[in-house]
């Protein structure tokens, strides 16, 4: 369970809601640590692919999860740099395929249990911004600050499109929208820690808000 003296901002929401960009700005502002929990699921799916562990081989996935280490390096104006088992694999994890593979293994209860310990170990002074789907509901239920970001699927697909395009990925907007909608359904309908706002979370629809406006609201909440 999280230590109540170390502040945590649990920042949850669906893909493309702005959690990564906004979470890192807030973490940099306060000098807090940043946990990109989606990168853990993406990283495990990537490792499984590398080691030829099938997505339904539960004990194989748990063994990989138990041995996995993750470091999130916060970067200004960019996605966080992700180091898994000592290797930087940020770009490999960003593709839409990696997101789909992550959401296929994410419903497995034993996998989530193995990854829970790793996520809680990220709670260190002076504070933590934890970005994900179940930060406020399951991983850090006692978090002092809980914000759930959302936006229409069309706007989230367009943001993801711009982000992937700027990284040189060959992307198609209609296909990205379909994939985001499929991932929303899978993430919100699973039995284990489904995507949903914690009862005590502040819900912010970012469809019509700029990054600065969202950041200002979150900083006002923390200050
Ligand atoms: O946030 P991101 O798109 O990187 O997450 C990839 C996938 O990992 C999500 O679609 C979801 O299935 C899974 N995930 C999760 N719980 C989290 C973070 C991500 O189940 N806390």
């Amino acid at each position: 369970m999280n230590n109540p003296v170390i502040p945590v901002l649990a920042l949850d929401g669906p893909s493309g809601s702005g959690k990564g960009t906004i979470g890192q700005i807030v973490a940099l502002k306060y000098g807090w640590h940043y946990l990109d929990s989606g990168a853990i699921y993406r990283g495990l799916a990537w490792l499984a692919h590398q080691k030829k562990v099938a997505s339904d081989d539960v004990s194989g996935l748990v063994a990989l999860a138990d041995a996995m280490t993750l470091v999130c390096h916060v970067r200004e104006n960019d996605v966080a740099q992700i180091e898994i088992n000592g290797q930087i694999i940020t770009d490999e994890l960003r593709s839409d395929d990696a997101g789909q593979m992550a959401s296929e293994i994410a419903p497995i209860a034993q996998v989530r249990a193995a990854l829970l310990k790793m996520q809680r170990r990220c709670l260190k002074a002076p504070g933590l911004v934890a970005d994900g789907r179940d930060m406020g509901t399951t991983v850090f239920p006692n978090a002092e600050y809980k914000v759930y970001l959302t936006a229409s699927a069309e706007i989230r697909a367009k943001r993801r499109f711009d982000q992937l395009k700027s990284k040189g990925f060959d992307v198609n907007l209609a296909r990205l929208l379909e994939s985001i909608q499929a991932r929303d359904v899978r993430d919100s309908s699973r039995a284990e820690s489904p995507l949903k706002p914690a009862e005590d979370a502040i819900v912010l629809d970012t469809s019509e808000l700029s990054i600065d406006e969202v950041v200002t609201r979150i900083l006002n909440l923390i200050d």
Side-chain angles (χ1 to χ4, degrees):
M1 200 52 57
N2 50 311
N3 181 340
V5 299
I6 302 177
V8 176
L9 167 64
L11 193 56
D12 288 304
S15 174
S17 54
K19 295 167 296 164
T21 306
I22 285 151
Q24 287 194 95
I25 295 174
V26 175
L28 279 170
K29 157 100 182 140
Y30 294 111
W32 289 1
H33 301 278
Y34 170 70
L35 164 65
D36 175 357
S37 64
I40 298 183
Y41 290 89
R42 287 171 184 257
L44 181 60
W46 178 83
L47 275 177
H49 183 70
Q50 298 283 307
K51 309 256 182 219
K52 304 207 181 336
V53 172
S55 58
D56 58 357
D57 173 358
V58 175
S59 56
L61 290 171
V62 168
L64 284 181
D66 282 340
M68 180 171 153
T69 62
L70 167 106
V71 185
C72 303
H73 302 276
V74 178
R75 290 194 295 186
E76 220 159 322
N77 304 320
D78 206 343
V79 293
Q81 197 167 50
I82 304 299
E83 188 179 327
I84 286 183
N85 296 350
Q87 196 185 347
I88 300 280
I89 51 165
T90 316
D91 291 340
E92 289 85 336
L93 297 190
R94 273 341 319 157
S95 73
D96 192 50
D97 281 353
Q100 287 297 335
M101 274 160 44
S103 102
E104 280 163 27
I105 59 163
I108 305 172
Q110 295 93 323
V111 166
R112 298 198 77 84
L115 295 176
L116 189 61
K117 297 172 241 161
M118 178 202 246
Q119 293 172 82
R120 288 190 176 150
R121 278 200 300 272
C122 294
L123 178 57
K124 292 189 187 126
L128 176 71
V129 177
D131 149 353
R133 304 287 188 291
D134 59 346
M135 299 297 105
T137 52
T138 306
V139 182
F140 301 111
N142 298 334
E144 206 165 338
Y145 313 105
K146 295 185 186 181
V147 175
Y148 184 91
L149 297 182
T150 184
S152 72
E154 287 72 17
I155 286 188
R156 290 187 284 119
K158 177 69 172 64
R159 287 178 186 162
R160 215 2 85 83
F161 176 82
D162 292 341
Q163 193 184 46
L164 289 171
K165 195 123 207 208
S166 74
K167 295 262 160 217
F169 285 98
D170 180 19
V171 273
N172 171 298
L173 184 57
R175 233 178 289 138
L176 265 185
L177 176 59
E178 256 176 48
S179 146
I180 275 197
Q181 286 168 326
R183 200 128 66 87
D184 283 356
V185 171
R186 204 182 295 138
D187 289 346
S188 348
S189 60
R190 68 181 178 221
E192 291 296 323
S193 299
L195 166 67
K196 64 166 187 198
E199 275 174 18
D200 49 351
I202 292 172
V203 178
L204 271 184
D205 186 329
T206 68
S207 304
E208 307 291 332
L209 297 177
S210 67
I211 291 172
D212 282 351
E213 285 169 321
V214 180
V215 168
T216 303
R217 289 192 195 197
I218 294 179
L219 296 185
N220 286 342
L221 170 77
I222 296 177
D223 289 337

